[in-house]
């Protein structure tokens, strides 16, 4: 492929979305994945219209819909009393407003859809390729591999996740430990024992904890994620976020929430991290994307969505500024950064704020619940800035 190629470091959802978008725009792309396989950790994810609209443009939305579930509603309920607070209708009016649906699916299924599309588009996909850094050259970038070899590229995309190697060449910050931890579980849909509709994404929220439940894999599996803020972490203890803490904190919840605990995988915990927003997502001919650029807490369910926005925006700005005799990757990356940095900073901060609202205690619960009760099922104004966002090229 020579030096005309774009090299993407990291073969997760963001890296493959970027590979697909760039290849569909006529560029030579190579994706390097450190692991031995292209895989995703975790189970379910949520794709709001700001992401499904872009997946439609990439030609994979039909496959996503076939593999996932388009839920009928989003529900927020009080985890202690069981009262439903918000019932957002995701039906006809929602689709007329945002053009594409809200979809929930298994992370592995989305990765496989993007992987297949990348192969069809001619993306070169390599595993067991550990990148340790980059070095600028006269006409591009050298990608430095752990085996000592160098791979020439016209530009490099760092999509290598929370602990990004390429980010370390731009920023000297570290991931922020939030003190929250997640336990996950997915069970066959016929095993689910709960009184709520199975075409619903429901978030049970309470002081320092929440539980999210929704179907995935064409409705065959039921995904559940329990999250809580660890008192042991707050006390400075090394052993924190334990199953014992989970049972104690969720033991105060209503019966449908407590019932979910038996189906969680308790032998592995997922500490939740993010990073503070940054204004710089590029350096030279290296651009950061997804969690490498803006890891965020999961409370807005926007991690994958923002990585997909990154991928499409980067491609659009390369199309705008890097075509023709006077093309400039540097101008393209500057435009990408100017569009994406303010957007993802707002999402990162809003995810933190949303988490604070979900997890309040005391009188804050009363005030929050009263506010939430006032949201009409077809009122999407509170999320329009998020779900209605469009890339400048669309």
């Amino acid at each position: 492929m020579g030096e005309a190629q774009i090299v993407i470091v990291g073969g997760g959802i963001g890296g493959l979305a970027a590979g697909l978008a760039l290849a569909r725009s006529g560029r030579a792309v190579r994706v390097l994945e450190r692991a031995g396989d292209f895989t995703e950790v975790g189970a379910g994810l949520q794709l709001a219209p700001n992401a499904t609209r872009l997946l439609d443009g990439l030609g994979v939305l039909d496959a996503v819909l076939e593999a996932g579930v388009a839920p009928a509603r989003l529900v927020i309920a009080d985890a202690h009393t069981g009262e439903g607070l918000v019932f957002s209708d995701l039906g006809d009016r929602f689709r007329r407003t945002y053009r594409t649906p809200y979809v929930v699916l298994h992370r592995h299924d989305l990765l496989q859809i993007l992987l297949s599309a990348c192969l069809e588009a001619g993306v070169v996909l390599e595993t067991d390729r550990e990148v340790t850094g980059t070095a600028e050259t006269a006409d591009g970038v050298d990608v430095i591999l752990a085996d000592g070899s160098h791979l020439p590229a016209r530009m490099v995309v760092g999509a290598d996740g929370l602990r990004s190697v390429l980010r370390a060449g731009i920023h000297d910050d570290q991931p922020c430990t939030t003190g929250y931890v997640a336990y996950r579980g997915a069970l066959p849909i016929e095993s689910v024992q709960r009184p709520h509709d199975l075409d619903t994404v429901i978030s049970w929220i309470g002081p320092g904890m929440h539980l999210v439940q929704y179907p995935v894999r064409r409705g065959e599996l039921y995904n559940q994620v329990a999250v809580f803020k660890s008192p042991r972490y707050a006390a400075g203890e090394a052993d924190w976020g334990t199953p014992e803490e989970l049972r104690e904190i969720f033991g105060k919840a209503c019966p449908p929430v407590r019932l979910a605990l038996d189906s969680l995988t308790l032998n592995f915990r997922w500490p939740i991290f993010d990073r503070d927003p940054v204004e710089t997502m590029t350096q030279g001919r290296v651009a950061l994307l997804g969690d490498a650029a803006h890891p965020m807490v999961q409370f807005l369910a926007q991690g994958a969505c923002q990585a997909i926005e990154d991928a499409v925006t980067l491609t659009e700005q390369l199309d705008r500024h890097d075509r023709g005799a006077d093309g400039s990757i540097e101008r393209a990356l500057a435009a990408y950064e100017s569009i994406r940095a303010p957007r993802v900073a707002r999402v990162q901060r809003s995810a933190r704020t949303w988490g604070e609202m979900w997890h309040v205690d005391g009188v804050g619960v009363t005030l929050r619940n009263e506010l939430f009760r006032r949201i009409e099922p077809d009122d999407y104004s509170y999320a329009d800035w998020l779900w209605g966002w469009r890339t400048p090229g669309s």
Side-chain angles (χ1 to χ4, degrees), residues 43-384:
L45 59 76
Q46 303 180 48
L47 296 175
N50 55 305
T52 56
R53 189 180 306 116
L54 301 180
L55 292 174
D56 191 25
L58 292 175
V60 297
L61 181 57
D62 287 345
V64 167
L65 286 168
E66 183 178 348
V69 174
R73 65 194 63 80
L74 299 177
V75 173
I76 300 176
D78 188 305
H80 282 188
T81 67
E83 178 193 1
L85 302 171
V86 178
F87 300 84
S88 292
D89 185 354
L90 302 180
D92 291 342
R93 187 174 186 277
F94 183 88
R95 295 197 184 202
R96 288 196 303 271
T97 300
Y98 295 112
R99 307 302 183 200
T100 54
Y102 200 106
V103 182
V104 290
L105 75 165
H106 202 288
R107 299 184 73 91
H108 177 76
D109 295 342
L110 177 58
L111 190 84
Q112 290 304 308
I113 290 166
L114 292 172
L115 190 65
S116 297
C118 282
L119 287 170
E120 292 176 3
V123 177
V124 177
L125 301 165
E126 299 181 0
T127 57
D128 293 311
R129 300 281 272 171
E130 182 179 354
V131 173
T132 60
T134 61
E136 290 193 26
T137 63
D139 53 0
V141 186
D142 266 358
V143 179
I144 305 168
L145 300 169
D147 62 10
S149 63
H150 289 210
L151 186 64
R154 191 156 183 261
M155 65 166 282
V156 176
V157 178
D160 50 341
L162 173 70
R163 303 188 185 280
S164 168
V165 171
L166 296 191
R167 182 188 176 104
I170 301 176
H171 299 285
D172 61 0
D173 61 340
Q174 295 297 322
C176 304
T177 307
T178 64
Y180 281 91
V181 64
Y183 285 86
R184 299 184 170 112
L187 68 160
I189 205 75
E190 59 269 17
S191 302
V192 176
Q193 300 179 38
R194 57 192 292 273
H196 303 279
D197 294 334
L198 296 180
D199 58 357
T200 298
V201 176
I202 185 166
S203 302
W204 304 88
I205 61 175
M209 50 81 81
H210 73 265
L211 171 74
V212 179
Q213 300 173 301
Y214 53 84
V216 295
R217 194 157 286 167
R218 299 168 297 279
E220 298 167 8
L221 294 177
Y222 200 60
N223 181 68
Q224 305 187 100
V225 183
V227 176
F228 66 92
K229 191 163 191 176
S230 168
R232 292 186 183 181
Y233 174 81
E237 297 182 26
D239 185 23
W240 60 275
T242 64
E244 291 74 24
E245 286 186 293
L246 170 76
R247 293 188 185 95
E248 180 180 354
I249 291 171
F250 279 84
K252 304 170 187 176
C254 62
V257 174
R258 296 200 307 271
L259 186 65
L261 301 185
D262 292 337
S263 59
L264 298 175
T265 301
L266 299 181
N267 60 352
F268 192 84
R269 66 188 180 99
W270 305 80
I272 295 176
F273 298 90
D274 68 355
R275 291 185 192 253
D276 292 330
V278 294
E279 297 180 355
T280 304
M281 294 173 59
T282 66
Q283 181 172 281
R285 292 193 172 199
V286 176
L288 300 178
L289 178 151
D291 281 353
H294 45 74
M296 58 189 67
V297 291
Q298 63 197 51
F299 309 137
L300 277 182
Q302 277 286 313
C305 297
Q306 292 306 303
I308 294 166
E309 285 188 9
D310 288 345
V312 174
T313 303
L314 177 62
T315 301
E316 289 177 350
Q317 295 312 306
L318 284 168
D319 286 346
R320 179 170 297 179
H321 297 284
D322 187 40
R323 295 293 197 192
D326 59 347
S328 169
I329 283 181
E330 288 77 12
R331 282 200 298 271
L333 296 191
Y336 165 73
E337 182 177 271
S338 70
I339 294 166
R340 294 303 300 156
R343 163 70 171 173
V344 296
R346 183 179 182 185
V347 178
Q348 285 177 287
R349 294 189 179 102
S350 297
R352 289 176 173 177
T353 301
W354 193 241
E356 291 172 1
M357 292 178 63
W358 275 19
H359 301 133
V360 294
D361 200 352
V363 69
V365 174
T366 302
L367 296 174
R368 179 205 62 204
N369 287 2
E370 180 60 30
L371 174 65
F372 280 6
R373 291 187 193 103
R374 297 180 183 182
I375 299 175
E376 296 294 331
D378 61 352
D379 177 9
Y380 316 120
S381 58
Y382 64 94
D384 192 62

Side-chain angles (χ1 to χ4, degrees), residues 6 8 10-11 15-16 19 29-33 38 123-127:
I6 294 176
I8 299 173
L16 292 184
V29 184
R30 184 182 299 261
V31 178
L32 307 179
E33 169 55 41
F38 288 95
V123 177
V124 177
L125 301 165
E126 299 181 0
T127 57

